[in-house]
Amino acid sequence: MTLKKSEADPRVIRTRRLLQDAFASLIQEKDFELITVRDIAERATVNRATFYAHFVDKFEILEVRLMESFMTIMNPRINGHEVLNEETIKSIFLGICEFHKSLNTICKRRSTSLVPVFEIQIKEKIQTILLSFIDKDKMLSNSNAQFLINTASIMLSWGMYGAAYTWNKEGCLISAESFVKQSLPLVMKGAKELLG
């Protein structure tokens, strides 16, 4: 990000919100590939230089929008959980499903080329969330434990993400709750190392 002024400055917050709102309305109207920085700036009633003072490019504003949406969904689901257990994993998995379903409204004209833009960041965020529930002493006990926990968290985050992606892509034929309930036994077998 190229922001130079304090992010706490109300003017900065207001301008960033204007730009994000402009982008949000444009993504409803046309494909991401067709949206330009000029389009976003004009919709926000600012100049392009102002856009570049806040965001590097349209990919960054997309990433910010998607990550904010993801965490808005995820925070209430993980709030109150203190350890990684089946209930925590179920809450995270449901949040991932909800996020994928919300993409249908965030990007009405969603194209498959958007998926690679944010997929890795979301998977890494899921992994970070999973690891935040792991006892740090267990992580540091030895290098093999650290390797196994890290690998298990990667597999679990990517597996839940991929399953939720496919569930959404296939039209959410069953509710997220039913999907997670049916999938959770498979997920839990893969999570054994994390739960230790």
Side-chain angles (χ1 to χ4, degrees):
M1 180 177 356
T2 59
L3 193 59
K4 293 170 183 65
K5 295 179 182 178
S6 168
E7 290 189 25
D9 182 334
R11 294 170 298 172
V12 172
I13 294 168
R14 190 171 36 257
T15 303
R16 283 181 66 83
R17 180 54 42 211
L18 274 172
L19 289 164
Q20 289 173 314
D21 290 347
F23 176 76
S25 69
L26 285 165
I27 199 79
Q28 298 293 316
E29 298 168 16
K30 56 185 177 177
D31 292 334
F32 176 75
E33 295 83 7
L34 300 176
I35 296 171
T36 65
V37 169
R38 177 183 299 253
D39 294 335
I40 299 166
E42 284 177 1
R43 179 73 54 99
T45 64
V46 299
N47 61 42
R48 286 179 48 212
T50 300
F51 175 91
Y52 288 117
H54 294 272
F55 298 99
V56 172
D57 54 22
K58 69 180 188 174
F59 292 94
E60 184 181 15
I61 200 168
L62 172 66
E63 182 181 337
V64 167
R65 168 111 168 107
L66 293 174
M67 196 56 72
E68 281 180 0
S69 296
F70 180 73
M71 291 313 297
T72 297
I73 290 167
M74 198 58 70
N75 281 334
R77 291 199 170 273
I78 60 175
N79 191 23
H81 291 277
E82 295 181 14
V83 295
L84 189 63
N85 55 28
E86 185 169 338
E87 194 57 37
T88 307
I89 291 172
K90 179 181 174 184
S91 291
I92 293 169
F93 200 180
L94 282 167
I96 298 166
C97 289
E98 186 179 337
F99 171 71
H100 276 288
K101 195 170 182 179
S102 77
L103 289 177
N104 299 334
T105 55
I106 292 172
C107 308
K108 282 190 178 159
R109 298 182 50 90
R110 181 176 166 199
S111 66
T112 55
S113 65
L114 283 182
V115 174
V117 172
F118 63 86
E119 183 176 86
I120 291 172
Q121 289 89 350
I122 297 294
K123 288 175 185 174
E124 288 174 351
K125 189 64 175 176
I126 297 165
Q127 182 188 7
T128 301
I129 291 168
L130 290 168
L131 290 173
S132 73
F133 291 106
I134 301 295
D135 179 8
K136 301 308 172 216
D137 292 334
K138 183 178 178 183
M139 278 288 284
L140 300 173
S141 63
N142 66 56
S143 61
N144 192 48
Q146 189 173 0
F147 169 78
L148 290 174
I149 290 169
N150 194 46
T151 301
S153 68
I154 292 168
M155 292 173 72
L156 187 56
S157 63
W158 286 49
M160 288 190 298
Y161 180 91
Y165 170 82
T166 303
W167 166 79
N168 185 54
K169 184 178 174 191
E170 292 176 352
C172 309
L173 300 177
I174 59 175
S175 71
E177 292 76 15
S178 295
F179 175 72
V180 169
K181 183 178 181 181
Q182 291 176 23
S183 304
L184 202 56
L186 297 170
V187 171
M188 293 311 297
K189 286 181 183 172
K192 238 184 213 178
E193 190 59 43
L194 283 175
L195 302 176

